[in-house]
């Protein structure tokens, strides 16, 4: 597991929309299992309610549901391919992401987004 920052230079926000290209390139899931405690954007309250106990969706359904969200404050995303967990992304308090996956995926995410450092 590695911990990456959620906010980059010039307050750039790193969130699921940023990560999808990385996921598609390295560990494309066919299913997502998500639990969202708090997020911001279109349908945020609906998504929080729908996923409060966890929700499994196809990749397409997930992207449709989450496309209007610009920030995940607290949420857990598990990518599954062929029945196997291939990665986990955990947003913590709008501060950082815990990223778990293959060594190649973790290294890529760390290099792409930077290590989180407590202020």
């Amino acid at each position: 597991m590695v911990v990456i920052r959620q906010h980059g230079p010039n307050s750039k926000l790193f969130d699921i929309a940023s990560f999808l290209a990385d996921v598609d390139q390295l560990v494309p899931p066919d299913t997502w299992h998500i639990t969202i405690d708090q997020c911001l954007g279109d349908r945020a309250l609906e998504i929080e309610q729908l996923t409060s106990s966890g929700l499994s969706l196809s990749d397409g359904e997930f992207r449709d549901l989450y496309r209007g969200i610009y920030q995940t404050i607290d949420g857990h995303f598990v990518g599954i391919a062929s029945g196997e967990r291939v990665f986990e992304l955990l947003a913590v308090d709008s501060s950082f992401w815990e990223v778990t996956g293959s060594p190649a995926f973790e290294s890529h995410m760390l290099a792409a987004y930077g290590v989180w450092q407590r202020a």
Side-chain angles (χ1 to χ4, degrees), residues 19-32 59 63 78-82 84-89 99-106 108-109:
F19 302 153
L20 287 176
D22 306 293
V23 165
D24 288 344
Q25 177 186 4
L26 298 167
V27 288
D30 47 52
T31 304
W32 292 76
D59 184 52
R63 289 170 192 251
V78 178
I80 301 165
S82 301
E84 298 291 323
R85 183 179 299 213
V86 292
F87 66 84
E88 287 185 51
L89 301 167
V99 177
T100 305
S102 69
F105 182 64
E106 290 180 7
H108 171 83
M109 295 296 282

Side-chain angles (χ1 to χ4, degrees):
M1 189 241 336
V2 296
V3 181
I4 63 173
R5 58 193 178 165
Q6 193 172 45
H7 303 275
N10 300 319
S11 299
K12 179 166 175 59
L13 184 63
F14 301 134
D15 209 88
I16 293 298
S18 309
F19 302 153
L20 287 176
D22 306 293
V23 165
D24 288 344
Q25 177 186 4
L26 298 167
V27 288
D30 47 52
T31 304
W32 292 76
H33 185 78
I34 63 173
T35 308
I36 310 301
D37 294 324
Q38 190 174 6
C39 61
L40 301 172
D42 295 339
R43 301 174 65 191
L45 184 57
E46 176 188 0
I47 291 168
E48 292 166 6
Q49 292 170 344
L50 278 172
T51 68
S52 64
S53 297
L55 180 65
S56 291
L57 304 154
S58 71
D59 184 52
E61 291 169 329
F62 167 72
R63 289 170 192 251
D64 254 6
L65 179 68
Y66 221 70
R67 75 170 169 248
I69 299 300
Y70 61 87
Q71 184 174 12
T72 307
I73 296 171
D74 287 292
H76 188 206
F77 304 81
V78 178
I80 301 165
S82 301
E84 298 291 323
R85 183 179 299 213
V86 292
F87 66 84
E88 287 185 51
L89 301 167
L90 178 66
V92 179
D93 197 29
S94 187
S95 298
F96 58 87
W97 288 89
E98 291 181 358
V99 177
T100 305
S102 69
F105 182 64
E106 290 180 7
S107 293
H108 171 83
M109 295 296 282
L110 198 57
Y113 300 101
V115 67
W116 177 73
Q117 297 177 345
R118 188 177 303 267

